[in-house]
Amino acid sequence: MSSDELWSIGELAERAGATVKTVRFYSDRGLLPEAGRSSGGHRRYGPDALDRLRLIRSLRALELPVPEVERVLDRDEALEEVVSGQLREVTSQLAALRWREASLRLIRDCAPGERADRLRLLGAVALPPDTAALARFWRRMLPVRLPARLVTTVLDSVVPRPPEEPSPAQVLAFARLHELVSDPRLDSPEFRPTPPLPAGEYRPAVLYEGLAEAYELAASSMAVHGEAAVHGKAAVRSEAAAHGEAPAHSEAAVRGEALDCFIAAYAQALGAPDTPAFRRRLVGLLARHDGPVIHRYWKLATGLFAPGEPVLGALHHHLSVALHAQVEARSA
């Protein structure tokens, strides 16, 4: 290519619709190939530099950082990786903005006397929020001998994912839930929730595997019966579900196979036969486990689950109530 076909830095900038300062910046970083130098030592560029400069400007228009642009220019296959990373970052930023918007609405619309407390609650939660504190709460609750795969299964079932587009009410519920599970008093024996069965007297893996099957059966039964309290947003609209109360048709929905499976999980974990006497004993064990901390956890968490997503706390409560009703009926 002759010197007449090469462009100065100003000519390249003009052809690309950029400033000389911009071209010099990218050239100094080694991102624009020089086709040569003038007799006076000035840079000269050809069509390859123009194509490269246009590509750089397109990538920068997507707000890719310069180091990421350099990665794309170094390796063609890096573009997909870089774009995917930027999409994850943008998604996180959008989630933070949605939570911020809902938080601002929560403060704006509440009574003046409530604002200080709500600001305190919101100040303890990151935007967008994570569920690490909730997971730690349940890990403290679970038996130490529980296999890792079952721990993961339980956490997936009991820890709600923060909604992508939360309402102010959901923001408040999550903040209160975060406060509940972060309470330092949970480390003291008198405040810590009671284990599902006496420590050292049962096989944890057998119990949790059996309960998972029972909850699945109960969810299917309640879905067939059109039971709204098993679902997140429907449950939060239900006054009965919000207060941990189970309507009569909920008990009917979880009777039969689901209830038998639920009871069998406890019986097999304890190595005990499923007898009327055991069922009476189990009613007492379940009542002991369903303390104020767990009750409040599910009251706050229920509305954070996605529509159509089974809420384990509601399923467990309905099965417990169905068992109590059955024992009462047989004792009458």
Side-chain angles (χ1 to χ4, degrees):
M1 183 180 294
S2 69
S3 59
D4 292 339
E5 296 173 303
L6 299 179
W7 309 314
S8 68
I9 193 169
E11 290 170 331
L12 176 60
E14 182 178 1
R15 287 174 179 269
T19 65
V20 171
K21 182 179 179 180
T22 297
V23 176
R24 183 175 288 113
F25 173 79
Y26 292 128
S27 188
D28 288 344
R29 291 187 70 102
L31 300 182
L32 295 178
E34 295 180 18
R37 294 269 176 163
S38 68
S39 57
H42 298 294
R43 298 165 178 167
R44 290 290 183 265
Y45 302 91
D48 287 348
L50 179 59
D51 291 340
R52 176 68 68 93
L53 182 55
R54 285 172 173 164
L55 175 59
I56 291 171
R57 296 193 71 203
S58 295
L59 295 171
R60 291 291 290 146
L62 295 172
E63 297 191 13
L64 266 66
V66 173
E68 297 292 82
V69 172
E70 291 176 329
R71 286 180 59 199
V72 173
L73 296 177
D74 287 342
R75 295 187 299 112
D76 290 339
E77 61 271 19
L79 179 59
E80 183 176 351
E81 179 183 335
V82 167
V83 169
S84 295
Q86 289 297 303
L87 277 173
R88 287 192 296 271
E89 184 176 333
V90 168
T91 298
S92 178
Q93 291 170 350
L94 287 173
L97 284 173
R98 293 187 186 106
W99 275 80
R100 182 185 174 195
E101 178 188 20
S103 299
L104 289 169
R105 291 181 184 276
L106 177 67
I107 299 302
R108 183 196 65 185
D109 297 338
C110 73
E114 297 177 324
R115 285 178 180 157
D117 184 60
R118 293 190 176 185
L119 284 170
R120 177 188 60 80
L121 286 169
L122 295 177
V125 179
L127 295 181
D130 63 55
T131 57
L134 278 64
R136 285 195 300 271
F137 168 79
W138 283 103
R139 286 183 183 279
R140 292 201 303 267
M141 295 272 294
L142 295 174
V144 294
R145 293 175 293 156
L146 198 64
R149 60 180 179 80
L150 283 177
V151 171
T152 300
T153 299
V154 172
L155 292 180
D156 287 344
S157 301
V158 299
V159 176
R161 292 178 294 276
E164 293 182 1
E165 298 186 17
S167 66
Q170 287 176 315
V171 168
L172 182 59
F174 190 93
R176 286 176 170 162
L177 190 62
H178 185 274
E179 179 185 49
L180 175 70
V181 301
S182 303
D183 193 325
R185 291 178 297 173
L186 289 175
D187 293 327
S188 61
E190 64 273 14
F191 197 75
R192 187 181 302 123
T194 306
L197 289 175
E201 296 183 15
Y202 72 106
R203 292 174 292 170
V206 173
L207 174 63
Y208 284 91
E209 285 177 345
L211 288 178
E213 183 180 354
Y215 295 146
E216 185 176 351
L217 289 169
S220 298
S221 298
M222 295 174 77
V224 169
H225 284 74
E227 173 51 50
V230 73
H231 301 312
K233 289 189 177 178
V236 82
R237 291 195 297 266
S238 167
E239 188 67 20
H243 290 84
E245 300 167 4
H249 58 280
S250 300
E251 299 168 25
V254 296
R255 286 176 181 158
E257 187 179 6
L259 181 56
D260 287 342
C261 184
F262 179 70
I263 297 165
Y266 284 96
Q268 292 169 10
L270 286 164
D274 178 6
T275 63
F278 175 79
R279 295 194 175 206
R280 287 193 298 273
R281 178 192 173 199
L282 184 56
V283 168
L285 289 173
L286 295 176
R288 175 172 165 267
H289 173 59
D290 189 19
V293 175
I294 296 297
H295 177 80
R296 180 156 176 77
Y297 180 95
W298 287 114
K299 183 176 179 179
L300 293 170
T302 295
L304 295 170
F305 286 89
E309 186 177 4
V311 179
L312 187 146
L315 296 173
H316 183 89
H317 180 74
H318 294 322
L319 285 162
S320 299
V321 171
L323 171 62
H324 187 272
Q326 183 187 86
V327 169
E328 288 281 308
R330 290 179 178 177
S331 300

